[in-house]
Amino acid sequence: YSNFMNSPWTLSPNFAWAHDFRGNAPSSLGGFVEDVMSMNLGATFNSAGTQIKLDYVNQLGSFDENKYQDRDYVSASISHAF
């Protein structure tokens, strides 16, 4: 969205959904595990070489199905290109 809220910033929202709906992978590195779900919501703001990125990841489901269920997190970054 150019000129987001009548400002010089451009907004680029993002959304991702991951769902391992059936089956398990034979990996001990955390591959596919049945019924594990996660959701990612984020936004990137750009203006005059400056970029601000915010993301939120939510691990969904019960602890019995998703051992990472209590590991939601927020990330933020700021960069500027000269």
Side-chain angles (χ1 to χ4, degrees):
Y1 300 97
S2 297
N3 298 329
F4 177 68
M5 296 186 74
N6 204 22
S7 71
W9 293 91
T10 299
L11 168 64
S12 302
N14 64 27
F15 172 80
W17 173 271
H19 183 190
D20 301 340
F21 56 90
R22 184 170 182 209
N24 296 309
S27 172
S28 63
L29 300 175
F32 289 103
V33 178
E34 191 167 334
D35 289 330
V36 168
M37 295 177 277
S38 67
M39 176 184 62
N40 181 326
L41 298 171
T44 303
F45 298 90
N46 290 297
S47 179
T50 301
Q51 182 181 69
I52 300 171
K53 186 170 183 176
L54 304 168
D55 283 303
Y56 170 68
V57 175
N58 185 359
Q59 302 290 337
L60 303 168
S62 70
F63 186 75
D64 293 335
E65 298 164 346
N66 187 355
K67 301 300 183 200
Y68 300 110
Q69 184 265 342
D70 62 343
R71 297 182 188 173
D72 298 353
Y73 61 91
V74 174
S75 63
S77 65
I78 299 173
S79 64
H80 184 77
F82 296 96

Coordinates of all heavy atoms in Angstrom, one line a residue:
Y1 N 0.8 -1.2 0.0 CA 0.0 0.0 0.0 C 0.9 1.2 0.0 O 1.5 1.6 1.0 CB -0.9 0.0 1.2 CG -1.8 -1.2 1.3 CD1 -1.5 -2.3 2.1 CD2 -3.0 -1.2 0.6 CE1 -2.3 -3.4 2.1 CE2 -3.9 -2.3 0.6 CZ -3.5 -3.4 1.4 OH -4.4 -4.5 1.5
S2 N 1.0 1.9 -1.1 CA 1.7 3.1 -1.2 C 1.1 4.3 -0.4 O -0.1 4.3 -0.3 CB 1.9 3.6 -2.7 OG 2.6 2.6 -3.4
N3 N 1.9 5.1 0.1 CA 1.5 6.3 0.9 C 0.5 5.9 2.0 O -0.6 6.4 2.1 CB 0.8 7.4 0.0 CG 1.8 7.9 -1.0 OD1 3.0 7.9 -0.7 ND2 1.4 8.3 -2.2
F4 N 0.9 4.9 2.8 CA 0.0 4.3 3.8 C -0.4 5.4 4.8 O 0.4 6.1 5.3 CB 0.8 3.2 4.5 CG 0.1 2.6 5.7 CD1 -1.1 1.8 5.5 CD2 0.5 2.8 7.0 CE1 -1.7 1.2 6.5 CE2 -0.1 2.2 8.0 CZ -1.3 1.4 7.8
M5 N -1.7 5.5 5.0 CA -2.3 6.5 5.8 C -1.8 7.9 5.5 O -1.5 8.7 6.4 CB -2.1 6.2 7.3 CG -2.8 4.9 7.7 SD -2.7 4.5 9.4 CE -3.9 5.7 10.1
N6 N -1.7 8.2 4.2 CA -1.3 9.5 3.7 C 0.1 9.9 4.2 O 0.4 11.1 4.6 CB -2.3 10.6 4.1 CG -2.2 11.8 3.1 OD1 -1.7 11.6 2.0 ND2 -2.7 12.9 3.6
S7 N 1.0 9.0 4.3 CA 2.4 9.2 4.7 C 3.4 8.8 3.6 O 2.9 8.2 2.6 CB 2.7 8.4 6.0 OG 2.8 7.0 5.6
P8 N 4.6 9.1 3.8 CA 5.6 8.7 2.7 C 6.0 7.2 2.8 O 6.8 6.7 2.0 CB 6.8 9.5 3.1 CG 6.7 9.8 4.5 CD 5.3 9.9 4.8
W9 N 5.3 6.4 3.7 CA 5.7 5.0 3.9 C 4.8 4.1 3.0 O 3.7 4.4 2.7 CB 5.4 4.6 5.3 CG 6.4 5.3 6.3 CD1 6.2 6.4 6.9 CD2 7.7 4.8 6.6 NE1 7.3 6.7 7.7 CE2 8.2 5.8 7.5 CE3 8.4 3.7 6.3 CZ2 9.5 5.6 8.1 CZ3 9.7 3.6 6.9 CH2 10.2 4.5 7.7
T10 N 5.5 3.0 2.5 CA 4.8 2.0 1.8 C 4.6 0.8 2.7 O 5.6 0.4 3.3 CB 5.6 1.6 0.5 OG1 5.7 2.7 -0.3 CG2 4.9 0.5 -0.2
L11 N 3.4 0.2 2.8 CA 3.2 -0.9 3.7 C 3.0 -2.2 2.9 O 2.3 -2.2 1.9 CB 1.9 -0.7 4.5 CG 1.3 -1.9 5.3 CD1 2.3 -2.4 6.3 CD2 0.0 -1.6 5.8
S12 N 3.7 -3.2 3.3 CA 3.6 -4.5 2.6 C 3.2 -5.6 3.7 O 4.1 -6.0 4.4 CB 4.9 -4.9 1.9 OG 5.2 -4.0 0.9
P13 N 2.0 -5.9 3.9 CA 1.6 -6.9 4.9 C 1.9 -8.3 4.4 O 2.0 -8.6 3.2 CB 0.1 -6.7 5.1 CG -0.4 -6.1 3.8 CD 0.8 -5.3 3.2
N14 N 2.1 -9.2 5.3 CA 2.3 -10.6 4.9 C 1.6 -11.5 5.9 O 1.4 -11.2 7.1 CB 3.7 -11.0 4.7 CG 4.6 -10.9 6.0 OD1 4.0 -11.1 7.1 ND2 5.8 -10.7 5.9
F15 N 1.2 -12.7 5.4 CA 0.5 -13.7 6.2 C 1.0 -15.1 5.8 O 1.0 -15.3 4.5 CB -1.0 -13.6 6.1 CG -1.8 -14.7 6.7 CD1 -2.0 -14.7 8.0 CD2 -2.3 -15.7 5.9 CE1 -2.8 -15.7 8.6 CE2 -3.0 -16.8 6.5 CZ -3.2 -16.7 7.9
A16 N 1.3 -15.9 6.7 CA 1.6 -17.3 6.3 C 1.0 -18.3 7.3 O 0.9 -18.0 8.5 CB 3.1 -17.5 6.3
W17 N 0.5 -19.4 6.8 CA -0.1 -20.4 7.6 C 0.5 -21.7 7.3 O 0.6 -22.1 6.1 CB -1.6 -20.5 7.3 CG -2.4 -21.6 8.0 CD1 -2.6 -22.8 7.5 CD2 -3.0 -21.5 9.2 NE1 -3.3 -23.6 8.4 CE2 -3.6 -22.8 9.5 CE3 -3.2 -20.6 10.2 CZ2 -4.3 -23.1 10.6 CZ3 -3.9 -20.9 11.3 CH2 -4.5 -22.1 11.5
A18 N 0.9 -22.5 8.3 CA 1.5 -23.8 8.0 C 0.8 -24.8 8.9 O 0.5 -24.6 10.1 CB 3.0 -23.8 8.5
H19 N 0.4 -25.9 8.2 CA -0.4 -27.0 8.9 C 0.1 -28.3 8.4 O -0.1 -28.6 7.2 CB -1.8 -26.8 8.6 CG -2.7 -27.7 9.4 ND1 -4.0 -27.9 9.1 CD2 -2.4 -28.6 10.3 CE1 -4.6 -28.8 9.9 NE2 -3.6 -29.3 10.6
D20 N 0.7 -29.1 9.3 CA 1.1 -30.5 9.0 C -0.1 -31.3 9.3 O -0.3 -31.9 10.3 CB 2.3 -30.9 9.8 CG 3.5 -30.0 9.6 OD1 3.5 -29.3 8.6 OD2 4.4 -30.0 10.5
F21 N -1.0 -31.4 8.3 CA -2.3 -32.0 8.5 C -2.4 -33.5 8.6 O -3.3 -34.1 9.1 CB -3.4 -31.5 7.5 CG -3.0 -31.7 6.1 CD1 -3.4 -32.9 5.5 CD2 -2.3 -30.8 5.4 CE1 -3.0 -33.1 4.1 CE2 -1.9 -31.0 4.1 CZ -2.3 -32.1 3.4
R22 N -1.4 -34.2 8.0 CA -1.5 -35.7 8.0 C -0.1 -36.2 7.9 O 0.7 -35.9 7.0 CB -2.3 -36.2 6.9 CG -2.5 -37.7 7.0 CD -3.6 -38.1 6.0 NE -3.7 -39.6 6.1 CZ -4.1 -40.4 5.2 NH1 -4.4 -39.8 4.0 NH2 -4.2 -41.6 5.4
G23 N 0.3 -37.1 8.8 CA 1.5 -37.9 8.7 C 2.6 -37.2 9.5 O 2.6 -36.1 9.9
N24 N 3.7 -38.0 9.7 CA 4.9 -37.6 10.3 C 6.1 -37.9 9.5 O 6.1 -38.9 8.8 CB 5.1 -38.3 11.7 CG 3.9 -38.0 12.6 OD1 3.6 -36.8 12.9 ND2 3.3 -39.0 13.2
A25 N 7.1 -37.0 9.6 CA 8.4 -37.2 8.8 C 9.3 -38.0 9.7 O 9.3 -37.9 11.0 CB 9.0 -35.9 8.4
P26 N 10.2 -38.8 9.2 CA 11.1 -39.6 10.0 C 12.3 -38.9 10.4 O 13.4 -39.4 10.5 CB 11.4 -40.8 9.0 CG 11.4 -40.1 7.7 CD 10.3 -39.2 7.8
S27 N 12.2 -37.6 10.7 CA 13.3 -36.7 11.0 C 13.3 -36.3 12.5 O 12.2 -36.0 13.0 CB 13.3 -35.5 10.1 OG 14.2 -34.6 10.6
S28 N 14.4 -36.4 13.1 CA 14.5 -35.9 14.5 C 14.8 -34.4 14.5 O 14.9 -33.8 15.6 CB 15.6 -36.6 15.2 OG 16.9 -36.4 14.6
L29 N 14.8 -33.7 13.4 CA 15.1 -32.3 13.3 C 13.9 -31.5 13.3 O 13.9 -30.3 13.0 CB 16.0 -32.0 12.1 CG 17.3 -32.7 12.0 CD1 18.0 -32.4 10.7 CD2 18.2 -32.3 13.1
G30 N 12.7 -32.0 13.6 CA 11.5 -31.3 13.7 C 10.8 -31.1 12.4 O 10.0 -30.2 12.2
G31 N 10.9 -32.1 11.5 CA 10.2 -32.1 10.2 C 8.7 -32.0 10.4 O 8.2 -31.3 11.3
F32 N 8.0 -32.8 9.6 CA 6.5 -32.8 9.7 C 6.1 -33.6 10.9 O 6.5 -34.7 11.1 CB 5.9 -33.4 8.4 CG 6.0 -32.5 7.2 CD1 7.0 -32.7 6.3 CD2 5.2 -31.3 7.1 CE1 7.1 -31.9 5.2 CE2 5.3 -30.5 6.0 CZ 6.3 -30.8 5.0
V33 N 5.1 -33.0 11.7 CA 4.5 -33.7 12.8 C 3.0 -33.4 12.7 O 2.6 -32.3 12.6 CB 5.0 -33.1 14.2 CG1 4.3 -33.8 15.3 CG2 6.5 -33.3 14.3
E34 N 2.3 -34.5 12.6 CA 0.8 -34.4 12.4 C 0.1 -33.4 13.3 O 0.4 -33.4 14.5 CB 0.2 -35.8 12.5 CG -1.2 -35.8 12.0 CD -1.7 -37.2 11.8 OE1 -0.9 -38.1 11.6 OE2 -3.0 -37.4 11.9
D35 N -0.7 -32.6 12.8 CA -1.6 -31.6 13.5 C -0.8 -30.4 14.1 O -1.4 -29.7 14.9 CB -2.4 -32.3 14.6 CG -3.5 -33.1 14.0 OD1 -4.0 -32.7 12.9 OD2 -3.9 -34.1 14.6
V36 N 0.4 -30.2 13.7 CA 1.2 -29.0 14.2 C 0.8 -27.9 13.2 O 0.8 -28.0 12.0 CB 2.7 -29.3 14.2 CG1 3.5 -28.0 14.3 CG2 3.0 -30.3 15.2
M37 N 0.5 -26.7 13.8 CA 0.1 -25.5 13.0 C 0.8 -24.3 13.5 O 1.2 -24.2 14.7 CB -1.4 -25.3 13.2 CG -2.3 -26.3 12.6 SD -4.0 -26.0 12.8 CE -4.2 -26.6 14.5
S38 N 1.1 -23.4 12.6 CA 1.7 -22.1 13.0 C 1.1 -21.0 12.1 O 0.8 -21.3 10.9 CB 3.2 -22.1 13.0 OG 3.7 -22.2 11.7
M39 N 1.1 -19.8 12.6 CA 0.6 -18.7 11.8 C 1.6 -17.5 12.0 O 2.1 -17.3 13.1 CB -0.7 -18.2 12.4 CG -1.3 -17.0 11.7 SD -2.8 -16.4 12.4 CE -2.3 -16.1 14.1
N40 N 1.9 -16.9 10.9 CA 2.9 -15.7 10.9 C 2.1 -14.5 10.3 O 1.6 -14.6 9.2 CB 4.1 -16.1 10.0 CG 5.1 -15.0 9.9 OD1 4.7 -13.8 10.0 ND2 6.3 -15.3 9.8
L41 N 2.1 -13.4 11.1 CA 1.6 -12.2 10.7 C 2.7 -11.1 10.7 O 3.5 -11.1 11.6 CB 0.5 -11.7 11.6 CG -0.8 -12.6 11.7 CD1 -1.6 -12.0 12.9 CD2 -1.5 -12.5 10.4
G42 N 2.8 -10.3 9.6 CA 3.9 -9.4 9.6 C 3.6 -8.2 8.7 O 2.6 -8.2 8.0
A43 N 4.4 -7.2 8.8 CA 4.3 -6.0 8.0 C 5.7 -5.4 7.8 O 6.5 -5.5 8.7 CB 3.4 -5.0 8.7
T44 N 5.9 -4.9 6.6 CA 7.1 -4.2 6.2 C 6.8 -2.8 5.8 O 5.9 -2.6 4.9 CB 7.9 -5.0 5.1 OG1 8.1 -6.3 5.5 CG2 9.2 -4.3 4.7
F45 N 7.5 -1.9 6.3 CA 7.3 -0.5 6.0 C 8.6 0.0 5.3 O 9.7 -0.2 5.8 CB 7.0 0.4 7.2 CG 5.8 0.0 8.0 CD1 5.8 -0.9 9.0 CD2 4.6 0.6 7.7 CE1 4.7 -1.3 9.7 CE2 3.4 0.3 8.3 CZ 3.5 -0.7 9.3
N46 N 8.4 0.7 4.1 CA 9.6 1.2 3.4 C 9.4 2.7 3.1 O 8.3 3.1 2.7 CB 9.7 0.5 2.0 CG 10.2 -0.9 2.2 OD1 11.2 -1.2 2.6 ND2 9.3 -1.8 1.8
S47 N 10.5 3.5 3.3 CA 10.4 4.9 2.9 C 11.8 5.4 2.8 O 12.7 5.3 3.7 CB 9.7 5.7 4.0 OG 9.7 7.1 3.6
A48 N 12.2 5.9 1.6 CA 13.4 6.6 1.3 C 14.7 5.8 1.8 O 15.5 6.3 2.4 CB 13.4 8.0 1.9
G49 N 14.7 4.5 1.4 CA 15.8 3.7 1.8 C 15.8 3.1 3.2 O 16.6 2.3 3.5
T50 N 14.8 3.4 4.0 CA 14.6 2.8 5.3 C 13.6 1.8 5.3 O 12.5 1.9 4.7 CB 14.2 3.9 6.3 OG1 15.2 4.9 6.4 CG2 14.1 3.3 7.7
Q51 N 13.9 0.7 5.9 CA 12.9 -0.5 6.0 C 12.7 -0.9 7.4 O 13.7 -1.1 8.2 CB 13.4 -1.6 5.2 CG 12.4 -2.8 5.2 CD 13.0 -4.0 4.4 OE1 13.9 -4.6 4.8 NE2 12.3 -4.2 3.2
I52 N 11.5 -1.0 7.9 CA 11.1 -1.5 9.2 C 10.2 -2.7 9.0 O 9.2 -2.7 8.3 CB 10.3 -0.4 10.0 CG1 11.2 0.9 10.2 CG2 9.9 -0.9 11.4 CD1 10.5 2.0 10.7
K53 N 10.6 -3.8 9.7 CA 9.9 -5.0 9.5 C 9.5 -5.6 10.9 O 10.3 -5.6 11.8 CB 10.8 -6.1 8.8 CG 10.0 -7.3 8.5 CD 10.8 -8.2 7.6 CE 9.9 -9.5 7.3 NZ 10.6 -10.4 6.3
L54 N 8.2 -5.9 11.0 CA 7.7 -6.5 12.2 C 7.0 -7.8 11.9 O 6.3 -7.9 10.9 CB 6.7 -5.5 12.9 CG 7.1 -4.1 13.1 CD1 5.9 -3.2 13.5 CD2 8.1 -4.1 14.3
D55 N 7.2 -8.8 12.7 CA 6.6 -10.1 12.5 C 6.2 -10.7 13.9 O 6.8 -10.5 14.9 CB 7.6 -11.1 11.9 CG 7.7 -10.9 10.4 OD1 6.7 -10.9 9.7 OD2 8.9 -10.7 10.0
Y56 N 5.1 -11.5 13.8 CA 4.6 -12.2 15.0 C 4.3 -13.7 14.5 O 3.7 -13.9 13.5 CB 3.3 -11.6 15.5 CG 2.6 -12.5 16.5 CD1 3.2 -12.7 17.8 CD2 1.4 -13.1 16.3 CE1 2.6 -13.5 18.7 CE2 0.8 -13.8 17.2 CZ 1.4 -14.0 18.5 OH 0.8 -14.8 19.4
V57 N 4.9 -14.6 15.2 CA 4.7 -16.0 14.9 C 3.9 -16.7 16.1 O 4.3 -16.5 17.2 CB 6.0 -16.8 14.7 CG1 5.8 -18.3 14.5 CG2 6.7 -16.2 13.5
N58 N 2.8 -17.3 15.8 CA 2.0 -18.0 16.8 C 2.0 -19.5 16.5 O 1.5 -19.9 15.4 CB 0.6 -17.4 16.7 CG -0.3 -17.9 17.8 OD1 0.0 -18.7 18.6 ND2 -1.6 -17.4 17.8
Q59 N 2.4 -20.3 17.5 CA 2.4 -21.7 17.4 C 1.0 -22.1 17.9 O 0.7 -21.8 19.0 CB 3.5 -22.3 18.2 CG 4.9 -21.9 17.8 CD 5.3 -22.4 16.4 OE1 4.8 -23.4 15.9 NE2 6.2 -21.8 15.8
L60 N 0.3 -22.8 17.1 CA -1.1 -23.2 17.4 C -1.3 -24.6 17.8 O -0.5 -25.4 17.5 CB -2.0 -22.9 16.2 CG -2.0 -21.4 15.7 CD1 -2.6 -21.3 14.3 CD2 -2.6 -20.5 16.7
G61 N -2.4 -24.9 18.4 CA -2.7 -26.3 18.8 C -2.4 -26.5 20.3 O -1.9 -25.7 21.0
S62 N -2.8 -27.7 20.7 CA -2.6 -28.1 22.1 C -1.1 -28.6 22.3 O -0.5 -28.9 21.3 CB -3.5 -29.2 22.5 OG -3.2 -30.4 21.9
F63 N -0.7 -28.6 23.5 CA 0.7 -29.0 23.8 C 0.9 -30.5 23.4 O 2.0 -30.9 23.1 CB 1.1 -28.7 25.2 CG 2.5 -29.0 25.6 CD1 3.5 -28.1 25.1 CD2 2.9 -30.2 26.2 CE1 4.8 -28.4 25.4 CE2 4.2 -30.4 26.5 CZ 5.2 -29.5 26.1
D64 N -0.1 -31.3 23.5 CA 0.0 -32.7 23.1 C 0.3 -32.9 21.7 O 1.1 -33.8 21.3 CB -1.3 -33.4 23.5 CG -1.6 -33.5 24.9 OD1 -0.6 -33.5 25.7 OD2 -2.7 -33.6 25.3
E65 N -0.2 -32.0 20.8 CA 0.0 -32.1 19.4 C 1.3 -31.2 18.9 O 2.0 -31.6 18.0 CB -1.2 -31.6 18.6 CG -2.4 -32.4 18.9 CD -3.7 -31.6 18.4 OE1 -3.6 -30.4 18.2 OE2 -4.7 -32.3 18.4
N66 N 1.5 -30.1 19.6 CA 2.5 -29.2 19.1 C 3.4 -28.8 20.3 O 3.0 -28.0 21.2 CB 1.9 -27.9 18.5 CG 2.9 -27.0 17.9 OD1 4.1 -27.2 18.0 ND2 2.4 -25.9 17.3
K67 N 4.6 -29.4 20.4 CA 5.5 -29.2 21.5 C 6.0 -27.8 21.5 O 6.6 -27.4 22.5 CB 6.6 -30.2 21.5 CG 6.1 -31.7 21.6 CD 5.4 -31.9 22.9 CE 5.0 -33.4 22.9 NZ 3.9 -33.7 23.8
Y68 N 5.9 -27.1 20.4 CA 6.3 -25.7 20.3 C 5.2 -24.7 20.6 O 5.4 -23.5 20.4 CB 6.9 -25.4 19.0 CG 8.1 -26.3 18.6 CD1 8.0 -27.2 17.7 CD2 9.3 -26.1 19.3 CE1 9.0 -28.1 17.4 CE2 10.4 -26.9 19.0 CZ 10.2 -27.9 18.0 OH 11.3 -28.7 17.7
Q69 N 4.1 -25.1 21.1 CA 2.9 -24.3 21.3 C 3.1 -23.1 22.2 O 2.5 -22.1 22.0 CB 1.8 -25.2 21.9 CG 0.4 -24.6 22.0 CD 0.2 -24.0 23.4 OE1 0.8 -24.4 24.4 NE2 -0.7 -23.1 23.5
D70 N 4.0 -23.2 23.1 CA 4.3 -22.1 24.0 C 5.5 -21.2 23.6 O 6.0 -20.4 24.3 CB 4.6 -22.6 25.4 CG 5.8 -23.5 25.5 OD1 6.3 -24.0 24.4 OD2 6.4 -23.7 26.6
R71 N 5.8 -21.3 22.3 CA 7.0 -20.5 21.8 C 6.6 -19.5 20.8 O 7.3 -19.4 19.7 CB 8.0 -21.5 21.2 CG 8.5 -22.4 22.3 CD 9.6 -23.4 21.8 NE 9.9 -24.4 22.8 CZ 10.7 -25.4 22.6 NH1 11.3 -25.6 21.4 NH2 11.0 -26.2 23.5
D72 N 5.6 -18.7 21.0 CA 5.2 -17.6 20.2 C 6.3 -16.6 20.3 O 6.9 -16.5 21.3 CB 3.9 -17.0 20.6 CG 2.7 -18.0 20.5 OD1 2.9 -19.1 20.0 OD2 1.6 -17.6 20.9
Y73 N 6.5 -15.8 19.2 CA 7.6 -14.8 19.3 C 7.3 -13.6 18.4 O 6.5 -13.7 17.4 CB 9.0 -15.3 19.1 CG 9.2 -15.9 17.7 CD1 9.6 -15.1 16.7 CD2 8.9 -17.3 17.5 CE1 9.9 -15.7 15.4 CE2 9.1 -17.8 16.3 CZ 9.6 -17.0 15.2 OH 9.8 -17.6 14.0
V74 N 7.9 -12.5 18.7 CA 7.8 -11.3 17.9 C 9.2 -10.9 17.5 O 10.2 -11.0 18.2 CB 7.2 -10.1 18.7 CG1 7.3 -8.8 17.9 CG2 5.8 -10.4 19.2
S75 N 9.4 -10.5 16.2 CA 10.7 -10.1 15.8 C 10.5 -8.7 15.1 O 9.5 -8.4 14.5 CB 11.3 -11.1 14.8 OG 10.5 -11.2 13.6
A76 N 11.6 -7.9 15.2 CA 11.6 -6.6 14.6 C 13.0 -6.3 14.0 O 13.9 -6.7 14.6 CB 11.2 -5.5 15.6
S77 N 13.0 -5.6 12.9 CA 14.3 -5.2 12.3 C 14.1 -3.8 11.6 O 13.1 -3.5 11.1 CB 14.8 -6.2 11.4 OG 14.0 -6.3 10.2
I78 N 15.2 -3.1 11.7 CA 15.3 -1.8 11.0 C 16.6 -1.7 10.2 O 17.6 -2.1 10.7 CB 15.3 -0.6 12.0 CG1 14.0 -0.6 12.9 CG2 15.4 0.7 11.3 CD1 14.0 0.4 14.0
S79 N 16.4 -1.3 8.9 CA 17.6 -1.2 8.1 C 17.5 0.0 7.2 O 16.4 0.6 7.0 CB 17.8 -2.5 7.2 OG 16.7 -2.5 6.3
H80 N 18.7 0.5 6.8 CA 18.7 1.7 5.9 C 19.8 1.5 4.8 O 20.9 1.1 5.2 CB 19.0 3.0 6.7 CG 19.0 4.2 5.9 ND1 17.8 4.8 5.5 CD2 19.9 4.9 5.3 CE1 18.0 5.8 4.7 NE2 19.4 5.9 4.6
A81 N 19.4 1.7 3.6 CA 20.3 1.6 2.5 C 20.9 3.0 2.1 O 20.1 3.9 1.9 CB 19.7 0.9 1.3
F82 N 22.2 3.1 2.1 CA 22.8 4.4 1.8 C 23.1 4.5 0.3 O 23.4 3.6 -0.4 CB 24.1 4.6 2.5 CG 23.8 4.7 4.0 CD1 24.0 3.6 4.8 CD2 23.4 5.9 4.6 CE1 23.8 3.7 6.2 CE2 23.2 6.0 6.0 CZ 23.4 4.9 6.8

